[in-house]
């Protein structure tokens, strides 16, 4: 842990200078209480650093929550062990790819399953109570429930240190959550301009509790968080179904964890109730289960929080990028990706070069930095990986 200033505490032993400057800038905002906590996987983001925990009094910066509102992880431990699985894993990967639309903009052809309809009814009711129509942001929002997206979103079949099989995936609120975030970032910028507020970065524009715009954002953000949570549940139901058909047996969900890492909640820290924005960080209250993924080809972790008050009860959300996507494409090759993915069933394509493990921080280094934030319960290593282009 490094105290960069009274308002910025850092857990990242690998911290690029631009990221450090960005975090310092965020920590200067007048409503921060008591300080910004920078996680071990911190890297440059829009306005606020990805991998930062930002507590605010009476105000919120939409860009400090992020554009993929509610992005997070879900994992299910099954009763199966590695030696009970069929030898050929390709049919499972292809079955998952058929059941779950992949890539940016992908959608289902129709809503056909009862559990999908029930989740959509829940989301429709929540939107009506909040007082908005999600279709004003994304007309296809209903057809995108149960879709993965692209980038670092993934679906994996993994095994833990006892060779028990876990199903594991990472995704968020898809197009509708992104549009909600972008709209309110613009609204915050406009309001700051109208009030002649000078900002160190226009993406640190904020909304204050005394405005209707603030509460409109809170309501719609919370809805997007629900969407992301249910989106992961929906995809996991489909993964379980495809896995069950592959092993020709029922699946017992012996453990299940579903957690956000891009979101805001009201919490009490250092004597005051704050809006705590975790932008690329998980809740690590004492004993709370959480998920910290590595990159494709590296380990992921099931953890329990240690309740570190200085970190604002938070922990990292993954490996964190060291190379931008464009730099990774210039630096690495498809053959290097194949070497990194040896022994893992995945779709062999140039599209994933920018997701090569070498483009990310070493997950073991990140976990070492997080030693006073979480306790590792299980180490997961993938045997099947599914991603969108």
């Amino acid at each position: 842990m490094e105290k960069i200033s009274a308002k910025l505490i850092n857990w990242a032993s690998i911290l690029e200078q631009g990221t450090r400057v960005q975090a310092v800038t965020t920590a200067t905002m007048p409503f921060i209480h008591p300080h910004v906590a920078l996680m071990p996987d911190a890297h440059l983001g829009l306005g606020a650093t990805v991998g930062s925990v930002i507590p605010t009094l009476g105000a919120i910066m939409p860009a400090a929550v992020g554009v993929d509102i509610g992005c997070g992880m879900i994992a299910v431990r099954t009763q199966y062990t590695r030696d009970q699985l069929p030898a050929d894993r390709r049919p499972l990967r292809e079955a998952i790819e058929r059941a779950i639309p992949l890539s940016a903009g992908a959608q289902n052809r129709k809503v056909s399953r009862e559990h999908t309809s029930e989740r959509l009814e829940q989301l429709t009711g929540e939107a009506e109570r909040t007082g908005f129509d999600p279709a004003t942001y994304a007309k296809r929002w209903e057809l995108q429930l149960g879709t993965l997206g692209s980038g670092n979103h993934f679906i994996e079949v993994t095994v833990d240190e006892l060779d028990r099989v876990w199903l594991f995936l990472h995704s968020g609120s898809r197009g509708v959550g992104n549009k909600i975030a972008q709209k309110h970032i613009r609204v915050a910028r406009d309001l700051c301009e109208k009030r002649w507020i000078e900002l160190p970065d226009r993406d640190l524009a904020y909304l204050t509790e005394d405005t209707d715009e603030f509460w409109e954002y809170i309501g719609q953000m919370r809805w997007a968080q629900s969407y992301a949570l249910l989106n992961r549940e929906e995809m996991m139901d489909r993964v379980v179904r495809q896995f069950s058909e592959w092993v020709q047996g029922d699946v017992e969900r012996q453990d299940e964890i579903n957690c956000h890492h891009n979101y805001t909640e009201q919490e009490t820290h250092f004597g005051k109730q704050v809006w705590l924005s975790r932008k690329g960080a998980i809740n690590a209250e004492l004993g709370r289960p959480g998920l910290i993924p590595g990159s494709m080809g590296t380990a992921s972790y099931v953890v329990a929080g240690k309740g570190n008050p200085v970190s604002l009860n938070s922990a990292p959300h993954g490996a964190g990028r060291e190379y931008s996507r464009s730099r990774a494409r210039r630096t690495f090759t498809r053959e290097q990706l194949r070497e990194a993915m040896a022994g893992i069933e995945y779709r062999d394509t140039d599209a994933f070069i920018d997701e090569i493990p070498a483009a990310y921080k070493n997950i073991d280094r990140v976990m070492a930095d997080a030693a006073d934030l979480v306790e590792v319960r299980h180490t997961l290593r993938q045997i099947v990986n599914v991603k969108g282009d």
Side-chain angles (χ1 to χ4, degrees):
M1 183 182 74
E2 172 195 13
K3 187 175 182 179
I4 294 176
S5 72
K7 289 289 187 176
L8 180 61
I9 311 297
N10 170 46
W11 271 264
S13 60
I14 303 172
L15 192 63
E16 187 266 337
Q17 181 59 23
T19 304
R20 179 183 288 263
V21 170
Q22 184 179 61
V24 168
T25 301
T26 302
T28 65
M29 297 302 285
F31 38 72
I32 299 294
H33 172 82
H35 56 256
V36 172
L38 208 54
M39 296 292 100
D41 55 338
H43 63 92
L44 208 62
L46 175 72
T49 304
V50 178
S52 58
V53 184
I54 305 170
T56 53
L57 292 169
I60 198 164
M61 298 173 286
V65 180
V67 294
D68 192 357
I69 300 171
C71 188
M73 310 291 306
I74 185 171
V76 167
R77 179 166 64 86
T78 75
Q79 78 274 30
Y80 291 94
T81 56
R82 185 202 295 257
D83 60 3
Q84 295 174 300
L85 303 181
D88 187 2
R89 299 166 189 160
R90 182 171 179 172
L92 174 60
R93 173 178 63 80
E94 293 177 341
I96 293 171
E97 290 171 346
R98 288 192 299 271
I100 297 174
L102 312 174
S103 305
Q107 65 182 57
N108 298 289
R109 288 191 295 273
K110 59 181 179 178
V111 176
S112 58
R113 295 192 175 273
E114 184 176 348
H115 55 73
T116 316
S117 297
E118 289 173 353
R119 290 185 175 112
L120 288 171
E121 288 176 9
Q122 178 181 335
L123 288 166
T124 299
E126 288 181 15
E128 289 174 350
R129 289 189 293 276
T130 302
F132 85 110
D133 179 3
T136 60
Y137 289 103
K139 292 181 180 179
R140 302 178 299 171
W141 73 270
E142 293 172 303
L143 293 176
Q144 284 205 309
L145 187 76
T147 68
L148 184 66
S150 60
N152 61 354
H153 293 171
F154 63 77
I155 301 166
E156 291 181 338
V157 180
T158 67
V159 293
D160 67 13
E161 65 285 346
L162 299 177
D163 265 0
R164 297 175 300 187
V165 177
W166 292 68
L167 309 176
F168 196 65
L169 68 84
H170 171 206
S171 191
S173 52
R174 304 296 288 111
V176 66
N178 182 285
K179 293 289 181 61
I180 288 170
Q182 295 285 5
K183 184 248 184 165
H184 291 285
I185 290 171
R186 291 194 301 271
V187 169
R189 288 175 186 160
D190 290 345
L191 280 179
C192 285
E193 287 179 9
K194 288 178 181 176
R195 293 179 169 188
W196 298 94
I197 295 171
E198 293 188 14
L199 296 167
D201 182 332
R202 66 194 299 262
D203 288 316
L204 293 178
Y206 56 90
L207 304 168
T208 55
E209 285 182 351
D210 59 350
T211 63
D212 292 339
E213 289 85 354
F214 177 95
W215 295 106
E216 181 180 333
Y217 172 64
I218 293 296
Q220 294 181 13
M221 177 196 63
R222 286 174 169 164
W223 181 88
Q225 289 176 187
S226 293
Y227 186 97
L229 195 80
L230 294 176
N231 186 42
R232 291 192 291 274
E233 287 183 0
E234 176 66 24
M235 284 189 284
M236 184 56 74
D237 284 349
R238 300 183 193 186
V239 172
V240 166
R241 183 177 72 247
Q242 302 305 87
F243 181 85
S244 177
E245 292 179 2
W246 182 59
V247 298
Q248 298 183 334
D250 293 336
V251 173
E252 297 173 11
R253 301 188 185 206
Q254 297 189 340
D255 197 1
E256 184 164 351
I257 303 164
N258 192 351
C259 63
H260 294 319
H261 54 226
N262 271 18
Y263 71 111
T264 292
E265 293 288 355
Q266 281 188 295
E267 298 182 11
T268 299
H269 292 278
F270 290 83
K272 292 187 178 181
Q273 188 177 61
V274 298
W275 293 98
L276 192 73
S277 298
R278 292 186 173 98
K279 183 177 182 178
I282 62 171
N283 187 324
E285 294 170 339
L286 183 62
R288 188 182 184 99
L291 301 167
I292 302 177
S295 55
M296 65 186 294
T298 64
S300 295
Y301 295 89
V302 180
V303 299
K306 289 188 174 181
N308 187 317
V310 182
S311 75
L312 310 172
N313 290 344
S314 301
H317 81 311
R321 295 195 73 92
E322 275 203 271
Y323 288 70
S324 69
R325 295 193 179 279
S326 58
R327 185 183 169 207
R329 288 196 164 278
R330 293 193 304 269
T331 304
F332 303 109
T333 66
R334 186 168 174 180
E335 187 56 39
Q336 288 174 309
L337 177 60
R338 286 173 178 157
E339 291 173 6
M341 296 297 286
I344 301 169
E345 172 59 42
Y346 79 109
R347 185 156 48 94
D348 185 0
T349 168
D350 285 344
F352 300 153
I353 290 174
D354 58 4
E355 283 293 302
I356 191 171
Y360 285 82
K361 292 183 180 182
N362 184 308
I363 187 63
D364 293 329
R365 180 73 169 273
V366 169
M367 296 306 295
D369 287 351
D372 63 342
L373 307 180
V374 291
E375 171 192 353
V376 175
R377 293 279 177 86
H378 303 292
T379 301
L380 308 181
R381 298 191 180 277
Q382 60 272 77
I383 58 175
V384 177
N385 172 274
V386 173
K387 292 181 70 68
D389 295 341

